[in-house]
Each structure stands twice: as C-alpha cells, then as structure tokens.
Amino acid sequence: MTRSQNSVYVLPPDWSRAAAFLSPAADRLDPASPELQMVVVTADADAAVAIARCCRTLAGARTLHTTAATAVARAARALRVQPAQILVGDARTLVGLLQQSVLRPAAVTQLVLAWPEDLAASPSALETLLAEMPREAARTIVVPAISEAVEQLIERHARRARRVLPAAAPDAAGATGWPLEYVSVHAEARRSALVRLLDTLDPETAFVHVRTETARQDVTTELQALGYAPEGPVTTGETLAGNVELLVLFDLPGTTEELRSLLAGHQAARIVALAQPRQLASLRSAGAGTLAPFTLPEAAARARAQQEKLRDSLRAVLAHDVHAAELLALEPLLADYDGIEIAAAALRLLEAERAQAASPTQQSRRMARLFLNVGSDDGIRAGDLVGAVTSMGGISGQDVGKVEVRDRHALLEVPETVADTIATRLTGVTLKGRQVVARLDQERSARPSRPDRGDRGDRGDRGGRSDRGDRGDRGDRGDRGDRGDRGGRGDRPPHSGGPRGSFRGPGAGSRSGGPTRRPPRPRDDDRR
C-alpha cells in the first residue's frame, strides 16, 4: 500500500483463480456510481465470459453491472442500453469500443490485465488501449511467468508494482515426480470430457478434484447422471480422502506444492488432468515429473476408420484394374527399396495431391486491396504490415496477398470476405509510432472511365466545329490584299523576300493555286 496501488500476480492461466486478483480490485469500486470504473483485459472471448461470471459472483449483493465484450457490435448495443461498471473483453474488442466512443475510460479507477495474449507478438491493440486509460488508475497485471516482455510492460505501465509470486517449490532432492497425463480440452467441454474419460478407463475408484463450488456442482450433476451415488466409488471435492485408482484434475493445481498437498498421505495409480492448451506449461512445471497426452478413443477410432476406408479403396484397385504401366514405372525402384516402402511413398504423394486439390489456392480467392497511411518514410516494412494484419485480422500470413510499401502509404491485398473487418481493426493501431488509418482502396477498373481521347471526331455542338476532319475547304475569304484601313498595308507592294517573309506554298492562300506571299509587318513609322 505504501509503494503503489499497482500489482503483478504470477499465476497459472486458470479462470477459477480469478477471484485472487479480482477481489482486491472490485472492493475499491463504488456501487452508487453508474460510470465505468473497472476494465479487465483478457486473452479471448471465452476468458472474458468466464471472468465476467466471476466478477458477478464477487459482487454479491452489491449492484455492480458487468458486461463481457465478446464482439464489438453486440457489446456496443448492450452498453448503449445498459452502461456497465465493470467491462471485460480482449484488447481488440475493447479498442473497437473505444473507436465507437462507447467505452469512455475517464472514470476508470481499476485496470486488470488477466493473462493477456503474447505481449511480444501482438502489442499494438494492448498499447493503444493502455494509452487511453487514466494515468491514476491502478494497474493489476496477471501473467503465468515473468518474462522480458512482461518486465517491459511493467516498466511502462505499472512501475513500482507490488509482486505476488507463487510459493517457492521444495528442493529437488525432496521432491517426488508424479507421472501426469492430460486431455487437451476447452474449459466449457470439461464435463463431457470427464464422462468420456470415465467410460474409457472404467475405474473401480476415482476422485475428481475441484476448487470452486460451481465446479463441484457441475461434476456432481454429471456423476449422478452416470449413476454414481454421492458416497460411491467415484467422488468429488477439494481434498483427497483415500487411495484411488484414478485421480482426475478437473481444476488444475497451480504449483507442485498444491499437487503435493492434494496427494498428502494418499496415492493415485493414475493422474489425468483436463487442461486447456494454454495451461500445459504450468501443468508441466507443477507435475514435477513426466507429462504425456491421453488420447480419447473417439479420435483414434476416427483415424482407424479413415485408414480402413483407404485400404478398401486399394483392395478394389488391386482386384479389378489393370496396372501394367504402373508396375513398369516402379520396377526399377525394387532394386533399392522394399515394395512396402514404395507403396508408402506413393500413398504420401496421393494424400498430398488430395489435400492440395481440396484447399482453395491463393489465386482462386477474390482479394481486396487496403490502403494504409503509413509507408517507408515511417520505417514501415512489408513484414510489419503482414504481422499487424495477421495479429489483428485473425488470418494467416498465407492469406495475405501482394504488399506494396510506398514512401508515404502502403497497399496490401487481403481476402475480400474479411477486408472490411481488417480495415476496422487496423484503424487506430500504432505502428512505428504512427497511428494507422486503413480503408478499402478503390480499384482502377471500378472508377468511372474517361472517354477515348483518340476518337474526337464527334464533339457535339461545340460552336459548329464538328466537321474539322476536312480542313481543305475553308470557304471564300475574299481578297486578302484589301484589308481596309490598317496602316496602309493594302497600298504597299508585296514584299520581295526579306527576313520577315515566308513562302506558304502553292494553294495555301489563293483559290486559283498561284503562289502568294505574306504581306510584311508594318514598320514603326507606318504604325504611327
């Protein structure tokens, strides 16, 4: 409290642990104020929903309206109807709400970064959001580990932050490693994965480890649906009561010490964790032993069915088709390779051809061109633009077409179906210190075409000059010698070829075709 209101928590990415860092921030909010007071930045939409649910639980009887911003359009409409005091969402969605002037951060007092995305890979949206937050707002940063990118983030936006680190692990000499297995699963699909795991292993005794009351109720409901009694061979809770054949980690322990406390005085023949992909690093460090994937039978069954279908196709070809030409092509290879190796190589070529035929090529897609107001004068390179588009637009680098970086602007091609979305997300992003403005670039073929300058014969009614093609007959212009009262030029004899005279050729000044000479220009005394 004396150092700063900023805090840094080092915790594994587990939404059930959100109360540890959300409670101190939520306790400082004022329920009587309807303004936005707390913004929580998450990695994705799923995390936003889970943390928003936790915020509502922490609020209890206090009226703190919480909104999970999972999409810009829907969240903007919801916030216009009912303003939120706590807003949760990923950085890109929150920046979109800023651009639409729906997110007004003037009254924000608490800013929480709950396991944001890789800071070194996509810092643009997060930096834009942090720059708009009040400087006096308290920062709470939650990361799975302290890295160089995290240290830079703390130095820029949460200086002198109080650090809450995990408890120190016991010495390696006294630690006993447990072999852990894991099922990679989405957080919302853990209950169905638990059912499939019990069906596959069919243990006589099992214990499902949970840490929250919500998880306990979910697991209890599933176990009762499977026919297990509350005090039967398969139970759930936070503390293991005895030796079991199978231990299922529905909620993961964050450290080796937590896992050691769970197994204190008891044993489990097999430990399987239901983990999200982002939790594998923390699970590997907490296991203090080997970590191996556990494959549920559905995936293996699908793979075996596909392979059997392929073998049936090969049997049909071998039984009915004549393949003398193929035998002659492969016979020289038998001197160096076994027949099964040659068949495997041919099968790999076939699968590659099928995959290439099934996936649309870059040339077959309809592409749209984006205009960006940054160029080489700003230090922008093609790789910077591709990185920004892939991180902000949710597409891969293979989906990006031609990239042209000019002095003061840049052009790049993206799939037409996501061009508007990418332009919206890129607008407002800061690259090399300059804010980007992106828009669709109008194709030259779509612009109004100018008339053909070569076909100028039909000029319409422009002074009656539509017949300019025939310039030989200019009408009878009379005797040019009698020019009236213009300084006596009509009384002077034709000039005899001085430096000012010029011969115009036959037919140029007379209808009869005789040669004529241009009258000389009047001298100064003649003009006077």
Side-chain angles (χ1 to χ4, degrees):
M1 294 294 293
T2 58
R3 294 178 61 192
S4 174
Q5 291 184 342
N6 300 330
S7 302
V8 176
Y9 288 80
V10 179
L11 293 173
D14 189 351
W15 301 332
S16 62
R17 298 175 176 270
F21 57 86
L22 289 177
S23 295
D27 289 342
R28 300 188 180 101
L29 304 183
D30 183 10
S33 176
E35 297 179 318
L36 178 64
Q37 304 175 51
M38 180 173 170
V39 175
V40 183
V41 185
T42 62
D44 50 35
D46 293 333
V49 174
I51 292 181
R53 189 185 300 122
C54 182
C55 289
R56 294 178 65 89
T57 303
L58 292 175
R62 297 187 300 168
T63 56
L64 291 175
H65 183 69
T66 305
T67 298
T70 55
V72 176
R74 185 204 60 79
R77 185 180 299 107
L79 291 173
R80 291 188 181 100
V81 175
Q82 175 63 55
Q85 295 162 295
I86 302 176
L87 183 61
V88 188
D90 63 274
R92 299 189 188 99
T93 303
L94 295 178
V95 169
L97 295 177
L98 272 173
Q99 294 173 350
Q100 295 191 12
S101 300
V102 179
L103 195 164
R104 297 181 177 88
V108 172
T109 60
Q110 300 293 324
L111 175 63
V112 180
L113 306 183
W115 302 293
E117 292 179 339
D118 188 1
L119 303 177
S122 56
S124 302
L126 184 60
E127 291 291 341
T128 302
L129 181 65
L130 293 177
E132 297 294 332
M133 292 295 153
R135 295 178 60 88
E136 61 274 10
R139 267 75 169 173
T140 300
I141 302 176
V142 187
V143 292
I146 299 294
S147 62
E148 182 180 356
V150 172
E151 291 287 2
Q152 294 176 1
L153 178 68
I154 296 172
E155 180 65 23
R156 290 194 303 270
H157 301 285
R159 296 188 63 184
R160 302 177 59 193
R162 179 177 59 93
R163 304 198 179 198
V164 181
L165 303 177
D171 295 337
T176 303
W178 297 278
L180 290 180
E181 298 176 272
Y182 68 91
V183 176
S184 183
V185 65
H186 190 273
E188 301 298 331
R190 287 180 297 171
R191 290 188 296 176
S192 61
L194 174 62
V195 174
R196 290 182 293 160
L197 181 64
L198 294 176
D199 289 342
T200 302
L201 299 180
D202 189 22
E204 294 184 3
T205 59
F207 181 79
V208 183
H209 169 66
V210 295
R211 286 202 313 268
T212 63
E213 185 61 29
T214 302
R216 180 193 295 270
Q217 294 176 0
D218 293 341
V219 172
T220 301
T221 302
E222 295 297 329
L223 294 180
Q224 291 177 354
L226 294 177
Y228 292 108
E231 302 299 331
V234 180
T235 58
T236 183
E238 190 172 1
T239 304
L240 185 61
N243 297 336
V244 292
E245 182 180 345
L246 173 66
L247 171 61
V248 181
L249 301 179
F250 194 86
D251 290 329
L252 301 186
T255 62
T256 305
E257 187 61 29
E258 291 186 19
L259 184 59
R260 181 185 297 275
S261 300
L262 176 63
L263 296 174
H266 306 285
Q267 292 182 355
R270 195 168 192 175
I271 305 176
V272 180
L274 305 181
Q276 302 173 60
R278 63 166 65 100
Q279 295 176 325
L280 294 181
S282 300
L283 182 63
R284 184 174 289 106
S285 61
T290 60
L291 182 65
F294 180 86
T295 304
L296 291 173
E298 290 85 353
R302 287 193 297 268
R304 285 193 293 269
Q306 184 177 4
Q307 296 301 320
E308 185 61 31
K309 183 178 179 181
L310 178 60
R311 285 191 289 268
D312 290 340
S313 300
L314 293 175
R315 290 189 185 98
V317 172
L318 292 172
H320 299 92
D321 290 354
V322 177
H323 38 271
E326 288 78 5
L327 288 176
L328 292 177
L330 297 177
E331 185 177 0
L333 296 176
L334 293 173
D336 300 320
Y337 302 96
D338 187 73
I340 191 65
E341 295 177 325
I342 300 173
L347 190 58
R348 175 174 295 183
L349 292 176
L350 174 62
E351 294 297 331
E353 291 292 335
R354 288 179 175 177
Q356 185 176 3
S359 61
T361 60
Q362 179 73 21
Q363 289 76 13
S364 63
R365 300 180 184 179
R366 297 188 60 180
M367 307 292 286
R369 189 166 60 176
L370 297 182
F371 173 89
L372 289 81
N373 66 331
V374 292
S376 58
D377 290 348
D378 303 307
I380 299 297
R381 299 175 301 175
D384 301 327
L385 299 179
V386 174
V389 169
T390 53
S391 61
M392 300 295 293
I395 61 176
S396 63
Q398 297 179 352
D399 296 327
V400 181
K402 185 178 180 182
V403 180
E404 301 180 26
V405 180
R406 310 287 177 82
D407 293 340
R408 298 185 179 180
H409 70 277
L411 302 171
L412 75 157
E413 294 180 345
V414 296
E416 190 177 48
T417 55
V418 295
D420 292 330
T421 302
I422 294 177
T424 301
R425 292 182 176 179
L426 284 180
T427 300
V429 172
T430 302
L431 290 179
K432 302 290 186 179
R434 184 172 180 185
Q435 197 171 25
V436 177
V437 175
R439 60 174 173 81
L440 288 176
D441 185 59
Q442 186 180 11
E443 295 287 348
R444 294 182 179 272
S445 59
R447 299 175 181 173
S449 59
R450 297 180 179 180
D452 189 1
R453 298 178 64 89
D455 186 10
R456 303 181 64 178
D458 187 7
R459 300 292 293 271
D461 48 356
R462 293 185 60 181
R465 298 176 62 184
S466 60
D467 272 339
R468 296 187 63 179
D470 184 5
R471 303 185 63 174
D473 187 5
R474 300 174 64 94
D476 188 0
R477 304 181 65 175
D479 187 0
R480 299 183 64 176
D482 186 7
R483 299 293 294 272
D485 223 358
R486 295 189 62 179
R489 290 177 61 183
D491 296 334
R492 296 176 61 88
H495 194 62
S496 58
R500 294 182 182 272
S502 60
F503 180 66
R504 299 183 64 185
S510 173
R511 297 294 297 269
S512 60
T516 60
R517 296 182 183 274
R518 179 183 296 176
R521 297 179 61 181
R523 299 177 182 176
D524 293 342
D525 56 347
D526 292 336
R527 292 174 181 169
R528 287 193 294 269

